[in-house]
Amino acid sequence: MDLSSPISSIPRIGKVTAKRLEKIGLRKVEDLLYHFPSRYDDWSKILTVKEIKARGSGTIKVKIKHIANRETPRKKMILTEAIVSDSTDSIKAVWFGQPFLVNVLKPNQEVFLAGKIDYDEVFGCQLVSPSYEFPKRDGLIHLGRLVPIYPTTEKVSQKQIRFLIKEILPLVWKIKDFLPEEIKKDYQLMDLPFALEQIHFPASHNLLERAIHRLKFDELFLIQLQTQLVRERLKKQKGPKIEIKLEEIKKFIKELPFELTFSQKKSAWEILKDLEKPRPMNRLLEGDVGSGKTVVATIAILNVILNNYQVAYLAPTEILANQHFNTISKLLKNWPIEIALLTREDKKIISKKEKEEKISKSKLLSKILNGEIDLTIGTHAIIQKEVKFKNLGLVIVDEQHRFGVEQRAALLNNRKKEGGFIPHFLSMTATPIPRSLALTLYGDLDLSIIDQLPPGRKEVKIKIVKPGEEKEVYNFIKKEIKNGRQAFVICPLIDPSDKLGVKSVKQEYEKLSQEVFPEFKIAMLHGKLKAKEKEKIMKNFLKKKINILISTTVVEVGIDVANASIMLIEGAERFGLAQLWQLKGRVGRSEYQSYCFLFSESYSEKARERLKALLLAKNGFELAEKDLEMRGPGEIFGTQQSGYLEYLKIAKLSDTLIIQQSQEAAKKILSLDPVLKNFPLLSKKIKEITKVTHLE
């Protein structure tokens, strides 16, 4: 048996258990060694019976005096009771619904028990459902130590996983350590085989901490190294050299009905200077909700088209693609530019004569291929194989992390195939990403940040609404709507759920339309509706035919309704802070004073603390840092995880110190050997993670 052997080759494991383990991605022996515990139970201190009675929990080594089953009269459950003792005292141990234990635990046997004491009025002091293990020559696995608790699957117990890992643990010494000796020495990192041994069965708290540190470092170091290699490789690639058409850009900016902020000007200039270089740009444009990223992107689009190249603009949803199509068409209305919309539902163009018309898919694809379309805006429909550009110079992706890993891989592959050069790449996000997170997730990208809101915008007033205060808010909303404004109501779910007890869109629609606001026009919007239905509802909301829109977080990104001044969020404590900030940004997009009401169903201190952070934050970036600290990266990136987040098993993106160290180490290695010629093991590991992250 070796590291690549199937799990079924481990002694005493059957095909059924092997299939169950396959459900959680454990196929080979090596997979088990890298299946890290999610936490540990500390049963390391062996107590006497007298001590455990005083402490309330722990591990004891005892002799079984008596054991028997009895049926409880009320619940008809078999209760197994044992009297156990050591030299200091005796105690009763009880197990529920495990009658087989009388055949496992016999009188006069020595056994280790671990668990919590329950003080019952009738039965007095007893150890309830304790774990048990018999003494072994080579030491305990399940008790008397820091005990690993693993992610598992149905019908596979913790004891089974521990037993299997203990069986194959000697094989860790066959794993070759890919970290160069100088890196291990510089950052005081233990050897990889020893770290793997200690992560599973730590000899002490100190060794466990050092093992976790080493394995976190490995994951983050490999990501940093990979992104640095991509960055260096892109520098050698040929990209279209886009000359800055300064006079035309100045004319475009002068014609805008608003003044650009300093942040917008700075970001636009950084992008234009990148486009001027003969290598492909790889840049991330970050901007808070409503900060004006679209106009910055439009400056880049115009400059590329004036250089006779095409642009592809990808949005994650059809609603957003339609909105960008309308917004950018208006911004470029004075320029002779052919713009197309390509989604699964819509195919249309705005010609140079400012005439919007529908078009067949085949005709649109032909126009794109012939270079007649300057700008193609759409969803992932743009990255299908059948869509070919004549002269693609720039690819813009809005909310890149919302595209799945496979879609991002297809985008990168398509990008490589266009002629003799690689088009420039601009990724945009309205989700404020903490710098530490951006450096890890997008280490291959340069960063431009818009951290100012356009002048004249009033700050959105936020209020946390406790249970019982709703009526006051409803009355306020009535006044706002009668003054001509509109309102969003956001719910965590589409359908009612008895299990979660959370407000749903359908429930709220019934309640608000019939009981609270019967005089107003109310509509529902959620992910289960067809694209055409969603678009129709949003158009009616934009045209003020709907007063209140009840929705899920489908409106979280990008949808712009200037007349809406109310954002009411039900079950606010169930959303991430960054998500709440995004939702708040759907209002306050005009000169009207806007309000965000957070309806909280929780009285917990933690929930209140999180929502208060929303009140105190000066901007989305500051809040995202807090969100990362309190809830982790999953909240920032929602369910469509980045390839990197799928790769990270033990490291967290809040491990900022290790991120900094791993970056330093990656740069040091590449300064010594830019192509890793002298580090074959490291080179092999990089190829392995490339398959997972799709970053090539």
Side-chain angles (χ1 to χ4, degrees), residues 27-94:
R27 295 173 182 86
K28 299 181 301 185
V29 167
E30 190 174 13
D31 294 337
L32 257 180
L33 290 174
Y34 277 89
H35 186 62
F36 301 138
S38 51
R39 62 181 179 87
Y40 299 83
D41 283 342
D42 190 353
W43 299 120
S44 55
K45 194 167 176 63
I46 310 295
L47 306 173
T48 64
V49 173
K50 191 176 181 181
E51 285 172 329
I52 199 172
K53 282 183 175 181
R55 292 193 184 197
S57 67
T59 307
I60 51 174
K61 185 182 180 183
V62 289
K63 189 174 271 189
I64 299 167
K65 294 294 184 185
H66 170 79
I67 185 164
N69 288 330
R70 72 177 176 87
E71 193 175 297
T72 58
R74 284 186 190 174
K75 297 183 180 176
K76 299 234 170 160
M77 184 187 282
I78 300 294
L79 196 67
T80 305
E81 297 175 314
I83 303 297
V84 300
S85 64
D86 63 7
S87 60
T88 67
D89 205 347
S90 296
I91 192 169
K92 184 199 275 189
V94 295

Side-chain angles (χ1 to χ4, degrees), residues 185-406:
K185 190 180 173 184
D186 285 351
Y187 297 97
Q188 298 177 327
L189 301 167
M190 62 167 59
D191 290 334
L192 179 58
F194 188 51
L196 287 168
E197 186 183 71
Q198 291 300 309
I199 196 81
H200 291 294
F201 295 103
S204 67
H205 283 281
N206 177 258
L207 286 172
L208 173 60
E209 281 175 24
R210 289 187 59 206
I212 290 171
H213 185 88
R214 162 67 209 253
L215 294 165
K216 282 183 172 186
F217 185 94
D218 283 0
E219 290 180 349
L220 293 165
F221 171 71
L222 288 170
I223 286 175
Q224 296 294 350
L225 195 61
Q226 188 199 28
T227 54
Q228 292 297 327
L229 284 165
V230 170
R231 188 183 274 267
E232 290 306 310
R233 200 155 60 239
L234 278 168
K235 283 180 184 175
K236 293 170 189 172
Q237 298 282 0
K238 190 181 171 189
K241 195 175 177 189
I242 309 291
E243 182 192 332
I244 299 176
K245 302 286 186 181
L246 198 57
E247 290 309 310
E248 289 90 337
I249 296 301
K250 280 181 179 177
K251 182 174 181 277
F252 170 79
I253 292 169
K254 195 177 179 182
E255 287 171 353
L256 289 171
F258 48 82
E259 182 79 25
L260 291 181
T261 65
F262 174 75
S263 280
Q264 284 175 311
K265 289 175 184 174
K266 182 172 178 281
S267 296
W269 188 247
E270 285 169 347
I271 293 165
L272 292 174
K273 291 302 284 180
D274 264 7
L275 292 170
E276 203 178 26
K277 293 168 187 170
R279 62 173 184 267
M281 170 177 76
N282 237 29
R283 187 168 283 278
L284 171 66
L285 176 62
E286 276 197 82
D288 220 334
V289 175
S291 61
K293 294 178 299 301
T294 307
V295 73
V296 171
T298 306
I299 291 169
I301 290 165
L302 177 61
N303 196 59
V304 169
I305 293 169
L306 290 172
N307 277 268
N308 299 314
Y309 286 100
Q310 292 168 292
V311 179
Y313 192 124
L314 277 80
T317 65
E318 300 218 359
I319 292 175
L320 208 46
N322 268 280
Q323 183 173 294
H324 285 314
F325 178 71
N326 295 327
T327 304
I328 295 170
S329 298
K330 283 174 190 166
L331 287 170
L332 295 172
K333 67 181 180 183
N334 298 332
W335 299 84
I337 286 171
E338 194 107 354
I339 304 171
L341 176 70
L342 175 57
T343 70
R344 195 174 57 186
E345 296 286 330
D346 292 301
K347 286 90 193 167
K348 56 188 176 185
I349 58 169
I350 288 183
S351 66
K352 292 173 185 177
K353 295 171 185 172
E354 289 186 53
K355 187 183 173 188
E356 185 178 312
E357 58 186 73
K358 293 205 171 184
I359 187 171
S360 70
K361 186 178 180 181
S362 58
K363 196 174 177 185
L364 179 54
L365 294 182
S366 173
K367 277 178 164 284
I368 293 169
L369 180 61
N370 294 334
E372 293 172 55
I373 302 293
D374 300 302
L375 168 62
T376 306
I377 298 171
T379 55
H380 54 81
I382 293 179
I383 52 179
Q384 306 306 309
K385 285 181 182 176
E386 59 192 338
V387 184
K388 290 183 171 64
F389 292 84
K390 182 186 179 184
N391 202 19
L392 186 61
L394 172 64
V395 176
I396 299 174
V397 185
D398 198 12
E399 299 299 336
Q400 188 194 11
H401 62 271
R402 289 176 179 270
F403 288 89
V405 173
E406 307 298 326

Side-chain angles (χ1 to χ4, degrees), residues 373-594:
I373 302 293
D374 300 302
L375 168 62
T376 306
I377 298 171
T379 55
H380 54 81
I382 293 179
I383 52 179
Q384 306 306 309
K385 285 181 182 176
E386 59 192 338
V387 184
K388 290 183 171 64
F389 292 84
K390 182 186 179 184
N391 202 19
L392 186 61
L394 172 64
V395 176
I396 299 174
V397 185
D398 198 12
E399 299 299 336
Q400 188 194 11
H401 62 271
R402 289 176 179 270
F403 288 89
V405 173
E406 307 298 326
Q407 291 167 335
R408 288 199 300 276
L411 171 65
L412 289 165
N413 290 335
N414 276 14
R415 189 182 163 209
K416 280 191 250 178
K417 291 171 190 168
E418 299 299 333
F421 56 75
I422 293 181
H424 296 287
F425 181 72
L426 177 65
S427 179
M428 304 202 305
T429 181
T431 306
I433 305 167
R435 191 165 283 274
S436 62
L437 209 57
L439 288 171
T440 309
L441 280 173
Y442 303 118
D444 57 316
L445 299 177
D446 293 305
L447 209 55
S448 286
I449 294 175
I450 303 176
D451 53 10
Q452 292 172 293
L453 286 178
R457 292 273 174 97
K458 291 178 182 174
E459 198 175 319
V460 176
K461 292 182 179 179
I462 306 169
K463 179 176 170 60
I464 299 166
V465 182
K466 295 171 190 168
E469 297 177 348
E470 296 91 346
K471 196 174 178 183
E472 190 185 330
V473 173
Y474 291 148
N475 288 334
F476 180 79
I477 292 171
K478 281 181 185 178
K479 283 181 189 172
E480 279 290 294
I481 293 173
K482 282 173 182 173
N483 286 333
R485 304 287 75 77
Q486 290 163 282
F488 287 101
V489 175
I490 306 297
C491 300
L493 299 178
I494 297 171
D495 295 293
S497 167
D498 293 334
K499 288 180 185 175
L500 295 173
V502 180
K503 294 279 178 71
S504 73
V505 169
K506 290 177 182 176
Q507 272 177 319
E508 281 301 284
Y509 177 76
E510 293 296 318
K511 178 187 154 188
L512 297 183
S513 60
Q514 291 175 24
E515 298 171 29
V516 185
F517 304 116
E519 69 270 44
F520 298 134
K521 287 173 186 171
I522 301 177
M524 284 190 288
L525 184 72
H526 53 74
K528 284 185 182 178
L529 295 174
K530 288 181 179 175
K532 278 192 174 176
E533 287 179 86
K534 287 184 202 170
E535 193 184 341
K536 188 182 175 185
I537 290 164
M538 278 313 303
K539 276 183 178 173
N540 284 337
F541 194 49
L542 282 162
K543 288 175 183 174
K544 304 179 189 177
K545 290 179 181 179
I546 295 166
N547 304 117
I548 300 170
L549 184 64
I550 303 170
S551 174
T552 56
T553 55
V554 72
V555 299
E556 175 191 345
V557 173
I559 295 166
D560 200 348
V561 183
N563 190 54
S565 66
I566 301 281
M567 172 60 68
L568 189 159
I569 303 168
E570 289 280 5
E573 73 281 357
R574 294 181 179 270
F575 296 95
L577 289 176
Q579 204 172 30
L580 290 171
W581 188 266
Q582 288 277 62
L583 289 166
K584 184 202 76 154
R586 293 301 103 226
V587 294
R589 303 178 76 84
S590 64
E591 71 276 14
Y592 305 121
Q593 179 61 59
S594 293

